């Protein structure tokens, strides 16, 4: 049974909430504010009781797939288990009910938590300092690129070109542009990695501000010449921006600091397991080298004589990239995760992530085509070229997986692989779960040969069938209107 | 030793065997020694009970409004938080899901966000709204950047100095990168933005916040008029005000945006909250952020899907309308739950109660002059107002000793604001709490 | 996909929890305790990680129907909405983390809560006092009957007969027997109510200790002569025990005190909306008349000079019926419910419950047979006699309802209705939900005529199909054994 | 006025119309005036925020072990509580469901309880266990009543005076009604039940608790021997002891029963906890309470169902094996979650840590004699022991002032116990906490 929109469940006169007693003199807002500033009741807001609200969202929730249901192999998204203790801790009154503008003396616990998280991230990345302010990975990219821009300006340089490999996430070019740069793509090598020679050629222009690169890249392949690339960049006065979306592949094994990164954003909602929330909130702290430290957003948390304080007095700072100090509630969860695992556990999880991905790579290699043969770490990218002859695309395979009770892999990138199936099992999965996934993928490969129509019309058992996405885009309906009302 | 978050100790050995490896180390062979690290400079993993102990200790080192009477606001407000909200957000189906890229198994998130978009439209009287942004500050930025895309020949942005100082600071950062010129508008004796310096013909946008950071309700009709061809942007930092105040949409604004935290999200030391963004239909394809649209599935039944993603970074890359990817979906869900519970009556009642209680307090405080003084006694305010005082931080410290978080010192927000305390009142504050503040200020100010 | 038993998910060496640091000297338990007292690891306990536990119970949960899914019309069970605020409050550290044996001075808040709940229940029932100790309705029945027994002994009377109408819940006779009484059934009148003449005849024996009666009875019919029956009982020195399972029908309208009840148990998990938890915990406070007050279980909470105290000094008390003071966590929820609704809300809910039930009665009457015509309050009992000619039983109808996404009505009693369908919608349901239920019931009535096989083999869309209950009882398998192990 | 828990204001009018009524009052016509009431003596309904305020105030009026160091036990123990447990119990699918009478839509509850039954069997080394009882006290009662059904010709029950005093008090209440004669066994100088007075040939059952209420581990082999033909019943009040101590099942006991609270359920001022009951297969049809059994569905797949309900009140009425209906299913689920997390290693580690820490504390306290004195220094104890002291309640009050909940005064439990303090130690107590207690006792005792 479909669940109506909450607006369609409305019954006039019903209430879903009661406010605390109204214990002051009533006012006439037309008088206190002026009639032209005031509105009346908003006609189309719903009138529903509490139980109806509870049931509405309960039923909606049942149409979602989630990590708690099973394997969620969305490549590049690191859909790992979200520990319940972290949810408990983020809800502690002493964290959730703290106002950001209380005097510092009243929020020492919150400031300490931020300071401790920064220290932990410094330890993990080998970088000089970290800003916790950005709200998401892409936001971190932007903050990082703004720091690079400011550093260049500080040197009096007007460089404007940012190099980005063709395998990169779409956020990289977008963020570079929003930071005021021009983007130039570099083609990957046949091994799927950075073409260092191409980089060298590009650097000769003198206009290169930075290279933005994901390590390991979106194929899951480690960039073997990353340190060399960094040296080349630095030598030419350019910066290395590292996209940390795939940090889960090497925590405790290698460090961006040693790779020569100048800025690196860290998706706390990936590597450090804060819940994705159906699309956020996440957090995208940016770790920087000494070179970029002066440009960090304000404020930063400092510890002075055992007292934690917010330092706004940073003349070279890029300023602020959002309100207050970042997604504090996400920081609580991430630090709890880091402390729960510790140095031993973090490395064990890295190994598990890479073992799991390589298990899938080997187990699926006879059924799906592997476009790049380079060794991979925490994820593996197949393509649909063996299924294409039967008219079956990566999308069809993805949709059919939903019928088998799994989430689909990433199919929209990397752009260098046509018909990609980018699979990242993460460290949370048991062999039993991986085996079940392999069985499903094998069955689908067979179905592709024997009954391609079944895949092309998949999914069949989900709450809704395949959607008309073209219609959604051509005749956009982006909100509910009451029956009979015209969309203006 | 195995860790509790890691399935399958035996699995490890079996996978190694399957791969023909002796140790997981072999899988990292492609990583050169020069970038390797030894042991991380972190403690050993802690038991759940130990982590709980540490975090509780840190949490206990913060003072909260739960223990004290609170009049804190200035962008983060303490309204009622229905228990149902957190019960919904705690459903693993919602909080452990990813962005709904596979709509067939994500209708829960998608429909809820479609409802969020509708709520934003109803509150702002705008025809379209997006699926959320990070916060109020970045919502303002996105509005200005959209305006710049729409008026590519212009570079000036007239922005009220009375938008929330953090929003203004953020806008400055982004504007610099976008090579936009920010012209900051001062305020007049009534605490309203001085519109006389606006030159709309040169501008991409005119940005005001209402109620502004000093609590005063702006004259949106005048702002709209002063904006001319430039995009008019209303910022809302106290979203519950939309339950009582006529929104920008009614005055023909081009964008109404801001933060929805006030509808029941916990302050959380500043985040996560949730930005919102509503605009006119004709700007649809220049909008930032995700959009959920209604369509039908293969069986013809109504269903929801992320749409118009050709605007977005993962398709459009360098030409995207915004670089946003992860947004604040779960917070948008929380606000959707709270708005559903409040409903038609509750949204207005809550705003009216907040306003009436603030008026009560304002009236009582007026009697304390000249010790403390209302900055703009004649100006319309919703639920927040500025009390002038020479040493606001000291005053607040004294109040805190008496168990009252008396408000936010303007010095904490921005140096250009008049010295004093911003006092915010919500429906949660009782008359008795207001009286306590008046009494304490009478003695301490 | 079926979810295996947790024992079947085990992988040797996996852990799902880490204990706090072991910070004292290790001991050899064979030495400290003696080898013969000590056991080793328990071989068959599972070894699973945290995420596997989370997913296991997440998946299990998805096979349950629950109030949050929709209408749950189990007659006599009062499956109403369980407010979320009550869950929040019961989990407050100051309630959940309080030990029952702390000094009274350290638990004044907990004692006050119990005292306030007793006052509220006294106000609602019009009785003299209330014990909160019983853990469930049946437990309350037993406690009540033990008090009656003790009161009789106190008078030196050895009466042993308890009269129970044939429409009663099964717990009534069972509880009476466990309190040491003999049960004698009284047939109901043709209106389905107590036969007062039969009662009069039975009372002549002089051996009648009490009448146990449910008001309104299990047909939903109010006992019109209850006060008269009480007077007759009292005149003969017998007691009136009232089963409060159906209290939801008349809170704020009538009172057991005025009806002449001597003891009445109250299912907090029905009328006062504490969650049923898949079968408990509930709570079954017993309200008593002045006559039975001396016999209340110890302790009772007293308020003396503003201080709350546990009074054990009650020489005539029946003693204790369980450990400590009762299901305190349930009391928190019930009192929160009562205070949330208040005098106005409680009555409004009673009216809603009765309106909803009468709506269903009227709407379904042309499709299902109503064996008793008396007016009903909060529930209504149909039977399957119109469907029987097609070979369709009440069970089949119940199972088919599951396919329509509703829970089934009660089908196991009252015993005076053969093939009963006992429907109690409660006050939580909107008309829209009721209408959907009526549509389903109508459709089923039609299916019974046109396609009875469909009903006899229902349900068809549930996580499992109809179960072999005979096999379960004949060859009981009540626990898991490791593969290969014999059941001993 | 409508209430937030009540759907459909408009519905009310529409239903009245449908029924042809003017007012709901007409539906109550069958209720005579003489039993009617006017307005209930209760306040008007309160807003959620107001209820929250009141309950928080009451909660704050209690001292908890979260704020202090705690050595409280005596039937309610403070072990680790994994966050996962409450997350599972908070799933509405579990906590808002009814007893699984319709197994096709209740497999979640049914399978979880089947797992609970298995855990009880594994912990007790007994072949069958039921789906839960209210608590330890009523579990003991049910054991004795079952024994009486199995030996209908006998009336005597030999019961150790060292079972938990509340269990004993409850047993007395029920035994009187069942006309059973309780013979209470004293204890010897080692703090163990004196078995010499047992006459098994006259008895329906012999009941001991191990570890007993003074913390001493009983000699179960001797108890079994002394029980002869009578049913031997082991009571367990500290269930985590089953992780370390050989259970009654190993010694041929007929019943092992008690309370599982120690496996992670919050104390909740005494309830809800969860009783358990395990016995031999041959007594299956005389068992009290619900049972979940495995069977197959119409498609032949494994499924679970309530079974052997012909023993139960709703079928058998006056002849039922127990009057229990609602049991403590959700608490059983909680324990099942905790046991699943602890697993094979954790169950033993937790018990061993509790024991080792108790031994550490015992050893250190021994040095404080004669101020305080271990009652049974030579006897084996698991994680709880008795410290003799003349004025235990005063001593505890002094400790409490120093932030230590030092244990339970025996005077609080029963007058017949030796005066002193029962001290319980769990894996949650740190060495430093133990040292604090020793230090404080050294100064205050």
């Amino acid at each position: 049974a479909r669940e109506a929109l909450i607006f369609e469940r409305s019954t006039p006169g019903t209430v879903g909430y009661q406010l605390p007693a109204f214990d002051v003199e009533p006012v006439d807002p037309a008088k206190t504010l002026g009639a032209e500033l005031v509105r009346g009741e908003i006609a189309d807001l719903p009138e529903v009781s509490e139980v109806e609200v509870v049931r509405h969202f309960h039923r909606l929730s049942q149409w979602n797939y989630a990590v708690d249901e099973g394997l969620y192999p969305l490549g590049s998204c690191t859909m790992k288990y979200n520990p319940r203790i972290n949810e408990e801790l983020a809800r502690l009154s002493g964290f959730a009910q703290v106002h950001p503008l209380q005097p510092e003396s009243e929020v020492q616990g919150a400031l300490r938590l931020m300071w401790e998280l920064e220290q932990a991230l410094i330890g993990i990345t080998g970088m000089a300092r970290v800003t916790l302010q950005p709200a998401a990975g892409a936001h971190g990219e932007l903050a990082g690129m703004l720091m690079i821009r400011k550093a260049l300006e500080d040197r009096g340089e007007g460089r404007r070109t940012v190099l980005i490999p063709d395998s990169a996430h779409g956020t990289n070019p977008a963020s570079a542009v929003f930071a005021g740069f021009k983007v130039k793509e570099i083609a990957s090598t046949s091994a799927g990695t950075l073409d260092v020679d191409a980089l060298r050629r590009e650097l000769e222009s003198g206009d290169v501000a930075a290279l933005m690169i994901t390590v390991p890249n979106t194929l899951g392949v480690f960039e073997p010449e990353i340190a060399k690339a960094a040296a080349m960049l630095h030598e030419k006065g350019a910066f290395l921006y590292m996209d940390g979306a795939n940090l889960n592949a090497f925590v405790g094994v290698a460090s961006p600091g040693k790779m020569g990164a100048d800025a690196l954003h860290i998706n706390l909602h990936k590597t450090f397991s804060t819940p994705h929330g159906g699309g956020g909130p996440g957090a995208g702290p940016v770790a920087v080298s000494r070179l970029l430290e002066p440009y960090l957003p304000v404020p930063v948390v400092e510890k002075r004589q055992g007292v934690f304080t917010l330092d706004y007095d940073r003349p070279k700072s890029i300023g602020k990239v959002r309100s207050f100090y970042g997604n504090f509630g996400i920081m609580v969860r991430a630090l709890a995760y880091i402390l729960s695992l510790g140095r031993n556990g973090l490395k064990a999880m890295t190994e598990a992530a890479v073992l799991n991905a390589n298990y899938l790579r080997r187990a699926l290699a006879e059924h799906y085509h592997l476009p790049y043969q380079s060794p991979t770490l925490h994820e593996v990218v197949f393509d649909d070229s063996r299924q294409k002859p039967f008219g079956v695309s990566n999308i069809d395979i993805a949709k059919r997986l939903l019928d088998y009770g799994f989430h689909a892999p990433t199919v929209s990138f990397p752009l260098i692989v046509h018909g990609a199936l980018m699979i990242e099992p993460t460290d949370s999965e048991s062999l039993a779960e991986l085996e079940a996934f392999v069985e499903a993928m094998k069955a689908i490969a067979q179905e592709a040969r024997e009954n391609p129509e079944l895949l092309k019309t998949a999914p069949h058992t989900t709450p809704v069938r395949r959607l008309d996405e073209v219609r959604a885009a051509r005749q956009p309906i982006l909100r509910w209107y009451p029956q009979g009302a015209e969309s203006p | 030793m195995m860790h509790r978050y890691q399935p399958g100790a035996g699995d490890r050995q079996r996978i190694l065997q399957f791969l023909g490896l002796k140790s997981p180390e072999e899988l990292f062979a492609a990583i050169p020694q020069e970038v390797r690290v030894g042991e991380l400079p972190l403690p050993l993993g802690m038991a759940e009970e130990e982590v709980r102990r540490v975090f509780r200790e840190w949490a206990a080192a913060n003072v909260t409004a739960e223990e004290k009477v609170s009049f804190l606001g200035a962008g983060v407000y303490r309204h009622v938080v229905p228990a149902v909200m957190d019960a919904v957000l705690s459903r693993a189906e919602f909080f452990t899901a990813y962005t709904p890229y596979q709509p067939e198994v994500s209708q829960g998130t998608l429909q809820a966000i479609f409802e969020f978009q509708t709520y934003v439209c109803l509150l702002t009287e705008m025809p379209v709204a997006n699926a959320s942004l990070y916060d109020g500050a970045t919502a303002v930025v996105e509005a200005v950047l959209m305006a710049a895309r729409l008026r590519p020949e212009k570079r000036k942005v007239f922005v009220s100095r009375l938008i929330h100082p953090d929003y203004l600071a953020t806008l400055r950062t982004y504007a610099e990168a976008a090579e936009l010129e920010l012209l900051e508008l001062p305020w007049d004796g009534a605490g309203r933005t001085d519109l006389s310096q606006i030159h709309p013909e040169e501008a991409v946008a005119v940005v005001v916040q209402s109620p502004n950071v000093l609590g005063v309700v702006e004259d949106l009709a005048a702002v709209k008029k002063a904006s001319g061809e430039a995009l008019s942007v209303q910022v809302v930092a106290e979203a519950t005000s939309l339950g009582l105040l006529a929104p920008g949409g009614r005055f023909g604004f081009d964008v109404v945006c801001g933060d929805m935290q006030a509808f029941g999200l916990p302050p959380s030391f500043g985040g996560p909250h949730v930005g919102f963004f509503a605009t006119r239909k004709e700007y649809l394809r220049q909008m930032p952020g995700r959009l959920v649209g209604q369509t039908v599935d293969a069986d013809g039944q109504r269903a929801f899907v992320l749409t118009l993603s050709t605007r977005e970074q993962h398709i459009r890359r360098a030409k995207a309308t915004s670089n946003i990817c992860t947004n604040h979906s779960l917070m948008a869900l929380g606000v959707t739950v709270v708005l559903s519970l409040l409903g038609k009556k509750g949204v207005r009642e809550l705003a009216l109660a907040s306003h009436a209680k603030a008026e009560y307090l304002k009236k009582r405080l007026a009697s304390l002059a000249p010790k403390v003084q209302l900055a703009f006694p004649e100006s319309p305010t919703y639920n927040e107002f500025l009390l002038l005082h020479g040493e606001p931080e000291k005053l607040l410290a004294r109040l805190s000793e008496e168990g009252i978080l008396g408000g936010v010192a303007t010095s904490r927000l921005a140096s250009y604001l008049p010295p004093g305390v911003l006092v915010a009142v919500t429906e949660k504050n009782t008359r008795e709490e207001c009286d306590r503040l008046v009494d304490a200020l009478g003695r301490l100010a």
Side-chain angles (χ1 to χ4, degrees), chain A, chain B:
Chain A
R2 304 294 305 160
E3 172 70 5
L5 291 166
I6 193 75
F7 307 98
E8 295 163 343
R9 295 183 64 111
S10 186
T11 309
T14 306
V15 298
Y17 203 72
Q18 181 181 340
L19 295 175
F22 189 92
D23 55 2
V24 298
E25 290 72 29
V27 298
D28 175 356
K31 288 195 184 132
T32 50
L33 290 159
E36 70 293 350
L37 293 185
V38 177
R39 78 200 299 183
E41 276 184 359
I42 302 172
D44 295 330
L45 288 178
E47 297 175 84
V48 284
S49 68
E50 183 172 319
V51 58
E52 290 172 286
V53 173
V54 167
R55 282 189 182 158
H56 177 70
F57 291 101
H58 182 95
R59 290 165 178 170
L60 289 189
S61 78
Q62 292 176 325
W63 300 333
N64 270 6
Y65 190 86
V67 169
D68 279 17
E69 318 254 331
L71 185 75
Y72 210 128
L74 263 184
S76 190
C77 300
T78 314
M79 294 299 287
K80 58 166 79 175
Y81 169 59
N82 308 128
R84 290 306 174 271
I85 179 68
N86 302 354
E87 297 305 306
E88 177 188 318
L89 300 177
R91 285 166 170 82
L92 285 174
S93 168
F95 292 138
Q97 299 305 326
V98 177
H99 192 285
L101 297 171
Q102 290 176 225
E104 286 178 0
S105 61
E106 296 188 354
V107 295
Q108 284 295 300
L111 294 175
R112 171 163 191 183
L113 189 140
M114 291 175 66
W115 188 86
E116 299 274 1
L117 177 59
E118 185 183 352
Q119 299 313 307
L121 295 177
I122 289 171
I124 289 166
T125 60
M127 305 290 281
R129 284 218 65 168
V130 178
T131 174
L132 303 173
Q133 198 171 122
H139 201 212
E141 292 174 19
L142 180 62
M145 294 311 290
L146 288 172
M147 288 188 259
I148 288 171
R149 184 186 154 115
K150 190 99 178 189
L152 288 166
E153 278 174 7
D154 219 25
R155 285 196 219 144
E157 294 183 8
R159 303 173 183 231
R160 279 289 176 273
T161 302
V162 169
L163 304 174
I164 302 183
D166 53 7
S167 62
H169 299 117
T171 49
N172 292 175
S175 299
V177 166
F178 277 86
F181 293 103
K182 286 177 308 181
V183 169
K184 183 146 192 199
E185 223 170 58
I186 323 186
S188 301
T189 66
S190 60
T193 54
L194 177 69
D195 185 337
V196 179
D197 293 328
L199 174 63
R200 191 185 329 269
R201 284 192 300 276
E202 295 293 348
L203 281 170
E204 279 163 18
S205 75
D207 190 55
V208 173
L211 168 71
M212 288 185 90
I213 189 168
T214 307
V215 178
N217 66 22
T218 53
L219 297 169
V221 178
F222 192 85
E223 293 290 349
E225 302 193 285
I226 185 67
K228 186 172 167 193
M232 287 162 54
L233 287 158
H234 293 159
E235 194 188 338
K236 295 285 184 184
F239 292 89
L240 175 60
Y241 184 94
M242 196 178 284
D243 182 327
N246 291 346
L247 185 58
N248 206 45
F250 64 83
V251 169
V253 174
S255 101
K258 290 205 171 174
M259 295 174 204
D262 293 292
L264 161 92
H265 78 262
I266 304 160
N267 306 72
L268 295 186
H269 47 294
K270 295 182 180 176
T271 310
F272 301 111
S273 183
T274 72
H276 282 73
V286 182
V288 296
S289 61
R290 285 272 164 243
L291 224 51
L292 291 180
E293 187 184 340
Y295 309 100
L296 287 169
V298 284
V300 298
V301 179
E302 298 286 358
K303 183 178 183 181
R304 290 174 183 150
Q305 285 121 26
V307 175
F308 298 93
T309 183
L310 291 164
D311 182 8
Y312 284 87
D313 184 18
R314 300 179 62 85
K316 294 192 170 179
S317 165
I318 58 166
K320 291 187 71 61
V321 295
R322 53 158 291 172
S323 55
F324 309 114
Y325 324 118
N327 283 340
F328 179 76
I330 305 302
M331 300 176 206
V332 177
R333 294 170 171 90
L335 184 59
Y337 183 78
I338 290 170
L339 293 182
S340 294
L341 282 160
R343 59 173 185 261
N344 49 332
L346 284 170
K347 181 161 182 191
M349 296 307 260
T350 299
E351 291 178 354
V354 174
L355 276 167
N356 282 352
N358 278 279
Y359 173 84
L360 290 183
R361 176 179 166 147
R362 172 75 62 96
L364 291 175
E366 43 180 314
H367 308 280
Y368 293 89
H369 176 247
L370 193 65
Y372 289 89
Q373 299 303 318
S374 308
T376 44
L377 293 171
H378 70 306
E379 66 189 4
V380 57
V381 180
F382 294 98
D383 68 29
D384 59 12
S385 52
R386 287 206 209 158
Q387 286 72 39
K388 263 281 144 74
F390 309 102
V392 167
S393 73
N394 60 339
I395 306 279
D396 301 327
I397 295 164
K399 296 297 182 197
R400 183 62 181 152
L401 260 173
L402 307 179
D403 282 334
Y404 280 89
F406 293 100
H407 199 276
T410 294
V411 291
S412 56
F413 69 94
L415 301 184
I416 56 171
V417 177
H418 196 260
L421 289 159
M422 184 193 219
I423 299 175
E424 180 185 8
T426 86
D427 33 71
S428 302
E429 301 306 321
S430 66
L431 183 52
E433 192 85 17
L434 298 177
E435 285 168 344
F437 178 73
V438 167
E439 285 314 304
M441 287 293 282
K442 279 187 191 172
I444 291 169
Q446 187 172 349
E447 287 169 354
R449 292 189 302 271
E450 296 171 0
N451 188 2
E453 207 47 35
L454 187 65
L455 274 64
K456 285 190 262 181
T457 55
H460 302 278
T461 63
T462 45
V464 298
R465 305 265 319 276
R466 212 179 283 202
L467 304 194
D468 188 342
E469 304 203 13
V470 173
R471 173 167 156 167
R474 291 232 177 110
Q475 305 157 31
I477 305 176
L478 303 173
R479 55 165 291 195
W480 167 86
Y481 281 100
Q483 253 187 332
E486 283 297 304
S487 130
Chain B
M1 202 197 77
M2 287 298 298
H3 194 275
R4 60 192 181 276
Y5 296 160
Q6 188 185 348
D11 292 357
R12 194 178 158 98
Q13 212 42 54
R14 285 168 61 206
I15 293 177
L16 284 171
Q17 251 164 20
F18 177 80
L19 296 173
L21 303 176
K22 289 218 176 76
S23 141
E25 179 50 39
E26 296 174 52
L27 291 168
F28 296 97
I31 304 184
Q33 279 308 318
E34 71 211 57
V35 303
R36 296 293 193 108
V37 292
E39 209 161 59
L40 291 176
L42 290 169
L44 284 171
M46 289 163 81
E48 177 175 307
E49 188 58 29
E50 292 163 339
V51 174
R52 190 183 270 130
R53 200 182 292 157
V54 168
F55 278 65
R56 283 194 181 169
E57 194 184 294
W58 293 345
N62 300 315
V63 172
T64 76
E66 307 276 298
E67 307 140 34
K68 301 199 176 185
V69 170
S70 170
F71 297 93
L72 294 165
V76 181
Y77 300 88
R78 192 173 146 268
H79 290 280
V80 290
V81 182
V84 168
M85 185 191 70
D86 198 50
V88 171
L89 297 196
S90 297
R91 300 270 309 160
E93 289 87 338
F94 283 127
F95 84 89
T96 79
Y98 197 72
T99 304
Y101 287 141
Q102 294 293 343
E104 298 87 351
V105 291
S106 310
Q107 286 295 302
T109 295
L110 286 162
Q111 181 168 330
I113 297 304
F114 184 83
E115 292 174 356
F116 173 77
Q117 291 174 179
T118 304
Y119 276 121
V120 172
C121 290
L122 293 172
L123 289 168
T124 59
E125 296 190 12
M126 300 296 286
V128 289
N130 77 6
S132 85
L133 294 167
Y134 308 135
D135 68 351
T138 52
V140 175
V141 167
E142 296 288 0
V144 168
L145 295 179
M146 184 180 85
R149 286 193 295 277
L150 289 164
R151 287 172 61 91
E153 69 290 359
K154 316 286 182 190
R155 300 318 295 162
K156 287 187 180 167
V157 178
F158 292 91
V159 56
S160 164
R161 270 206 145 180
L162 294 183
I163 72 169
H164 190 286
D166 274 15
Y167 299 7
L168 184 54
T170 306
L171 183 56
R172 286 178 184 149
T173 305
Y174 278 75
E176 193 182 334
E179 290 169 5
L180 293 170
E181 185 185 353
L182 285 193
L183 294 135
E184 299 181 8
L185 305 170
W187 58 91
D188 62 20
R192 277 179 162 169
T193 303
D194 178 352
L195 307 172
S196 64
Q197 300 177 17
I198 299 174
H199 300 285
E201 65 290 352
E202 301 171 22
V204 302
V206 174
V207 182
V208 297
Q209 178 177 311
S210 182
N212 65 36
V213 74
L214 301 179
V216 177
V217 181
E218 295 277 1
D219 182 349
L220 293 182
V223 176
K224 175 61 195 167
K225 201 171 160 207
S227 302
E229 292 289 294
L231 268 74
S232 46
V233 178
Q234 180 195 5
V235 180
V236 182
E238 217 302 8
T240 71
S241 67
L242 292 167
L244 184 63
L245 301 177
R250 186 171 296 183
F251 300 98
F253 269 59
D254 296 290
V255 177
V256 182
C257 65
D259 202 306
M260 283 280 166
Q261 176 275 333
F263 278 117
L265 299 183
S268 278
F269 202 50
H273 301 160
V274 57
F276 71 93
F277 187 102
T279 189
R280 292 171 181 275
K281 246 188 178 163
E282 55 261 46
Y283 305 149
L284 189 53
R285 278 159 216 272
Q286 284 301 333
M287 276 179 82
R290 295 204 187 104
L291 291 166
V292 173
Q294 177 181 318
T295 184
V296 293
D297 76 354
D299 295 334
Q301 63 178 328
R302 178 170 71 180
F304 303 93
V305 66
L306 291 177
T307 193
L308 298 171
S309 48
T310 48
R311 299 164 302 112
E312 292 184 73
Q313 47 73 26
H314 66 282
I315 307 278
R316 213 142 184 232
R317 303 177 74 86
K319 296 200 173 98
T321 58
S322 158
N323 75 329
I324 196 167
C325 176
T326 290
N327 62 11
H328 278 201
S329 202
L330 196 71
M331 303 293 100
L333 171 63
V335 166
T336 304
V337 173
V338 172
L339 284 166
S340 300
L341 288 165
L342 289 172
K344 189 199 288 192
K345 287 196 171 27
V347 165
R348 184 166 158 97
E349 271 178 23
L350 182 150
L352 197 53
S354 299
H355 176 60
K357 291 185 183 202
E359 291 294 309
Y360 170 80
L361 181 58
K362 250 169 84 174
K363 201 181 291 174
R364 289 221 50 203
L365 287 173
S367 67
L368 296 182
K371 280 182 172 177
V372 290
Q373 217 155 348
L374 290 173
F376 311 105
E378 304 303 322
S379 298
T381 62
Y382 165 58
N383 72 336
E384 192 164 18
F385 50 84
L386 176 62
L387 271 185
L388 296 173
H389 192 271
E391 293 186 307
E393 306 214 357
K394 280 194 188 158
L395 178 61
L396 291 173
R398 284 196 291 268
L399 287 171
S400 187
E401 282 167 24
E402 300 211 359
I404 300 172
L405 302 173
V408 173
T410 48
S411 51
R412 186 69 197 276
L413 289 166
S415 55
Y416 53 78
L417 295 174
V421 175
L422 277 171
V423 178
V425 187
T426 76
E427 76 294 343
K428 278 184 79 166
N429 291 108
T430 61
R431 179 183 192 130
E432 186 251 331
E433 289 176 0
C434 295
D435 292 344
R436 271 183 65 188
L437 177 63
V438 174
D439 167 69
L441 279 174
R443 287 182 286 104
L444 306 172

